[in-house]
Amino acid sequence: MAHEQFAHRGAIVRSIPKWVPFVALMAAAAPACCGETAGQLAVSVNIVASCRLSVDTATMSFGDVQQGTAAADSRAELGVTCSRQQPYAIGFDSGEHAQGATRRMSNGSAEVEYGLYADAAHQHPIGPRGSGSELRGTGDGNQQRLPVYGRLEVGRNTPPGTYTDVVRMTVTW
């Protein structure tokens, strides 16, 4: 029986050389139905600087002010987020009730003049876009909080009432 096992192995070993060329040919041959080609995909991006006002609607209230008060001050804060190292300017228009460049609040029949400033000392008025008196800064990629200071004077003959105005802000970069 041992002799039969060796005889069978011998027949297998002798047939291997017959199959080697066939196996090699099949391995080297590509299927007739397929092909190959190469190409390129160009990938690009154009990163642009950006800015946005983080507080779309800020409110400045002078509160209750008595007639004849020499001056009343207020402060509001707005936020701006600009790309890192991106200079920006925030302009404030003159408001809905302005006469020329003079800002005014109205109660529908009377008006009160007021000013908006970049500093608490009220030395640097804030102007509209392109005026050179905008709030200016340089972005750092995070929200920056900017104070806006207001001042008004109420004369003795100013009628009591609630006075309002809306000032539009525009950030340019």
Side-chain angles (χ1 to χ4, degrees):
M1 212 136 111
H3 182 24
E4 289 176 20
Q5 284 180 341
F6 289 121
H8 183 57
R9 282 188 191 166
I12 292 173
V13 170
R14 282 190 301 272
S15 69
I16 288 178
K18 295 177 189 174
W19 289 97
V20 168
F22 177 73
V23 170
L25 179 65
M26 293 306 292
C33 68
C34 300
E36 182 176 304
T37 187
Q40 295 179 345
L41 171 64
V43 179
S44 69
V45 64
N46 182 25
I47 306 288
V48 295
S50 66
C51 288
R52 66 180 168 83
L53 289 172
S54 304
V55 180
D56 292 333
T57 305
T59 300
M60 176 178 285
S61 175
F62 288 91
D64 293 335
V65 178
Q66 294 180 2
Q67 286 177 319
T69 301
D73 296 330
S74 186
R75 181 180 187 271
E77 196 170 84
L78 60 105
V80 63
T81 304
C82 289
S83 301
R84 289 180 48 93
Q85 301 178 354
Q86 180 61 50
Y88 62 85
I90 304 171
F92 291 60
D93 76 3
S94 296
E96 291 180 350
H97 305 289
Q99 286 185 345
T102 303
R103 290 185 174 103
R104 298 172 184 260
M105 289 184 275
S106 174
N107 72 355
S109 60
E111 294 177 336
V112 175
E113 292 183 10
Y114 70 98
L116 298 177
Y117 302 88
D119 62 315
H122 308 104
Q123 298 299 309
H124 302 285
I126 301 171
R129 180 179 65 158
S131 67
S133 59
E134 305 94 336
L135 284 179
R136 295 184 175 275
T138 300
D140 64 5
N142 298 306
Q143 183 185 59
Q144 295 173 318
R145 305 297 293 175
L146 304 173
V148 176
Y149 300 91
R151 172 165 277 183
L152 64 83
E153 294 182 25
V154 179
R156 276 181 272 163
N157 296 326
T158 303
T162 300
Y163 292 77
T164 62
D165 194 18
V166 176
V167 176
R168 285 169 190 75
M169 303 173 288
T170 304
V171 60
T172 56
W173 63 95

